[in-house]
Amino acid sequence: MPTLEIKNISKTYKKGTVKALDNFSVTLTSGVYGLLGPNGAGKSTLMNIITDNLNPDCGEVLYDGVNIKKFGKSYRSVLGYMPQQQGLYDDFTLNRFLWYMAALKGLKKKEAREKITSLLETVNLTSSAHKKIGSFSGGMKQRALIAQALLNDPEILILDEPTAGLDPKERIRIRNFISEIAENKIVLISTHVVSDIEFIAKEIILLKQGKLLTQNTGIKLTKEIEGKVFMIKAQTKMLSKIRSVYRVSNLYHDNNDIVVRVVSDTAPDEYNCESVAPTLEDLYLYYFE
Ligand code: ADP
Ligand code: MG
């Protein structure tokens, strides 16, 4: 089984004042991992280091026990990377873009032709192959970027916010698609949207201000906050008071009352409340609010 070990990585940008990554370690094997954290947590920094596009200040990345710096080119050949930024190739047709990327990855012509034909099918963009990427919808652009990441049949697939800017239908499509192609690969997906990874990730890695908070299966993570999620029923005028004391994950009006879902280490016994089963969204709130 392929293994990617990320060991004690720290990174401060030259112009940066905070540590983008702070002694971060994690070990990945086959399967989908969700890298969850708010904007600025360090997700893209970590992905740039894993893909050898950025050097850490200290620490190392080992692929099957060997430092990736020692692999050189052959490391790139097992790697597929979908970066976060878009719009770089808007003037290219999709077909030209994929041929260009295939050339960069060193694919032979015949190999490239076969691969591009089959990947266009996989990402359901065959009929758009000769259109300019600039004319694509958000979902089509994301699928085009995923397709280029798969050109070399990567063993390691790094996807930086693959569902950013997508509508719910496109989100579901991309999510299921990633799940399908993930077999026998190490797949790391970054997001700040819990539902993107809740059901497809074998493990979820929570990153906050460059530090690993916790790493576990979704089910075990939600168990961590069992007994810490409550539904309060109160008069509407109490809402601002409740908000000032508790992390509110949800609320709705019920006639003249409000029903407020809160995440708290201690029970809000001063209100009419009941304990409820936690969700991963509650966990996100617990760690990041
Ligand atoms: P995320 O992808 O989780 O949003 P990033 O890795 O982009 O987080 O950023 C982590 C931290 O590093 C943030 O505080 C961000 O402002 C800072 N940062 C990111 N890129 C640069 C850069 N090129 N120069 C200076 N600071 C940066
Ligand atoms: Mg990012």
Side-chain angles (χ1 to χ4, degrees), residues 43-44 84 160-161:
K43 303 182 294 295
S44 296
Q84 192 171 9
D160 200 350
E161 304 212 23

Side-chain angles (χ1 to χ4, degrees), residues 15-223:
K15 288 178 194 145
T17 47
V18 293
K19 282 188 174 178
L21 286 174
D22 189 358
N23 197 23
F24 180 91
S25 299
V26 84
T27 298
L28 313 177
T29 56
S30 288
V32 177
Y33 292 82
L35 180 63
L36 187 61
N39 286 331
K43 303 182 294 295
S44 296
T45 302
L46 178 66
M47 291 182 149
N48 274 310
I49 289 170
I50 291 175
T51 53
D52 199 20
N53 290 308
L54 183 71
N55 287 321
D57 300 335
C58 61
E60 54 183 359
V61 180
L62 307 176
Y63 179 53
D64 286 343
V66 181
N67 192 316
I68 58 169
K69 296 282 175 196
K70 288 200 181 137
F71 273 103
K73 262 193 175 165
S74 64
Y75 179 61
R76 301 218 167 234
S77 72
V78 297
L79 201 65
Y81 173 42
M82 172 185 175
Q84 192 171 9
Q85 74 272 22
Q86 275 203 13
L88 293 175
Y89 303 101
D90 279 358
D91 283 335
F92 282 45
T93 65
L94 175 57
N95 201 47
R96 220 185 118 216
F97 168 63
L98 291 175
W99 273 97
Y100 172 73
M101 294 307 288
L104 285 185
K105 291 179 188 228
L107 270 71
K108 304 241 160 52
K109 237 181 176 170
K110 180 166 175 285
E111 212 182 344
R113 185 174 299 119
E114 286 170 9
K115 205 72 214 174
I116 288 170
T117 306
S118 82
L119 277 175
L120 282 170
E121 286 293 315
T122 313
V123 299
N124 199 18
L125 285 175
T126 304
S127 61
S128 304
H130 296 286
K131 292 183 189 141
K132 281 196 174 175
I133 292 177
S135 72
F136 284 9
S137 72
M140 290 166 77
K141 280 187 186 174
Q142 298 295 72
R143 278 183 274 144
L145 284 174
I146 294 178
Q148 65 75 29
L150 293 169
L151 278 167
N152 55 335
D153 271 326
E155 288 174 28
I156 305 170
L157 187 58
I158 308 290
L159 306 173
D160 200 350
E161 304 212 23
T163 55
L166 303 190
D167 68 34
K169 204 170 137 194
E170 287 176 327
R171 251 169 211 280
I172 293 166
R173 229 195 106 87
I174 293 277
R175 192 165 71 206
N176 291 335
F177 170 64
I178 292 167
S179 205
E180 266 172 54
I181 58 172
E183 205 185 353
N184 302 323
K185 292 189 204 330
I186 296 172
V187 183
L188 184 64
I189 305 172
S190 73
T191 183
H192 53 258
V193 181
V194 169
S195 59
D196 279 350
I197 46 155
E198 183 160 17
F199 300 111
I200 63 165
K202 102 170 162 178
E203 283 188 18
I204 296 169
I205 298 159
L206 267 72
L207 182 64
K208 184 177 187 177
Q209 292 169 355
K211 288 196 180 77
L212 174 75
L213 285 180
T214 177
Q215 172 194 4
N216 219 324
T217 64
I219 290 171
K220 289 204 174 126
L221 283 177
T222 45
K223 281 222 166 82

